Amino acid sequence: MSHEINLKHFSGKLPLFPLPNVVQFPHTILPLHIFEKRYRKMIKNVLEGERLIGMAVLQPGWEENYQGNPDIYPVACLGRVVKSEPLPNGRSNILLLGLKRVRIQTIITPFPYRTAKVEIVEDSLAGLDKESLRMLKRRLLELYSELVVEYAGSGKPYPALSHLNLEAGVLADALAATIGLPTPDLVYLLMEHRISARFQFLEQRLLEKLQQGGPAIFQQPETGRNPGPIHLN
């Protein structure tokens, strides 16, 4: 599946799907189950239009006004519905491919679901020359490789990234979506368009995780029994 989707004719008007603890990044695939009435209507309209959705994030305190329009952060991930599966009673499953960061400028319509005027935000390499960028990427991949080893056998799905030769922004987003950060950290990384700042933040979080250490390699064996072999592949 190509990640290159032409947004040249994007209208700038985007339906928003805000969730409390789900942060999507560009270049990632997000599976979603659509069941609320207002969002069933949204998906119907989306599939008949540009097939674009803005994955927004609800701010803390959303529980008091969820059926209304609780506050959201001023950024979202612009995604395209690349697959949809209709289900009974108007529900559906979809796959959303993250494309770009967007800044929410104004809310156009608040009900039945929010639509907004948004501005696409491009990554910035300001302050990074070619050599410093190469070194930062290498550093992050080394730390990530250590994390994969530290959590081997834990059941956590850590995809292989080192061999993909990812662009800097893609690498930062892939790491953000992979290493198990809390929602406030993810929101910060979504809001930050400067790659240097995202790399520095990710380096710090990877170091913290490595300092904490991973889980035990195997459970304490029963008395008189040896643990079975440990396989790395």
Side-chain angles (χ1 to χ4, degrees):
M1 179 186 301
S2 174
H3 287 215
E4 297 299 324
I5 293 177
N6 189 356
L7 293 173
K8 182 179 179 181
H9 301 294
F10 171 48
S11 66
K13 180 180 177 182
L14 193 64
L16 300 180
F17 187 19
L19 291 173
N21 295 307
V22 176
V23 182
Q24 185 176 21
F25 289 91
H27 322 291
T28 65
I29 288 281
L30 179 65
L32 292 166
H33 175 62
I34 311 298
F35 60 92
E36 285 188 52
K37 183 177 180 180
R38 54 181 166 174
Y39 296 121
R40 297 201 306 259
K41 182 173 184 179
M42 178 191 75
I43 289 299
K44 181 177 182 296
N45 293 337
V46 163
L47 294 177
E48 292 173 352
E50 294 182 295
R51 300 179 70 90
L52 299 175
I53 295 174
M55 287 303 301
V57 186
L58 295 170
Q59 294 192 23
W62 59 271
E63 298 90 342
E64 298 178 4
N65 189 32
Y66 180 69
Q67 295 306 321
N69 281 322
D71 290 340
I72 58 177
Y73 290 98
V75 294
C77 180
L78 167 63
R80 188 176 193 273
V81 179
V82 293
K83 187 175 182 180
S84 62
E85 177 188 21
L87 299 172
N89 302 321
R91 297 175 296 114
S92 62
N93 293 326
I94 67 170
L95 289 180
L96 194 67
L97 172 63
L99 301 176
K100 295 285 186 179
R101 287 169 170 76
V102 293
R103 184 177 296 112
I104 299 170
Q105 297 177 312
T106 57
I107 300 297
I108 300 171
T109 56
F111 296 103
Y113 56 87
R114 277 179 273 199
T115 59
K117 182 70 176 178
V118 302
E119 174 189 18
I120 291 176
V121 179
E122 300 290 354
D123 282 343
S124 170
L125 286 170
L128 292 174
D129 57 35
K130 187 175 181 179
E131 179 61 18
S132 61
L133 184 61
R134 185 186 70 83
M135 295 299 293
L136 284 171
K137 286 176 63 176
R138 180 179 176 181
R139 172 65 170 161
L140 283 183
L141 287 171
E142 287 174 348
L143 291 174
Y144 178 71
S145 296
E146 291 181 32
L147 188 73
V148 171
V149 172
E150 186 68 25
Y151 281 83
S154 68
K156 292 182 178 292
Y158 288 117
L161 298 177
S162 299
H163 70 288
L164 296 179
N165 194 28
L166 300 175
E167 294 180 3
V170 180
L171 174 61
D173 289 338
L175 288 171
T178 299
I179 63 175
L181 296 175
T183 300
D185 285 359
L186 296 175
V187 170
Y188 166 78
L189 288 166
L190 183 64
M191 295 180 68
E192 181 57 75
H193 74 289
R194 296 171 301 165
I195 291 175
S196 60
R198 301 212 304 267
F199 272 18
Q200 292 170 10
F201 187 87
L202 287 164
E203 180 181 8
Q204 182 61 37
R205 289 296 184 264
L206 283 165
L207 286 170
E208 290 171 0
K209 284 181 171 291
L210 288 169
Q211 290 170 359
Q212 293 168 3
I217 297 175
F218 49 80
Q219 298 296 323
Q220 183 68 29
E222 297 178 15
T223 304
R225 296 184 61 183
N226 293 321
I230 300 171
H231 298 285
L232 296 182
N233 55 1

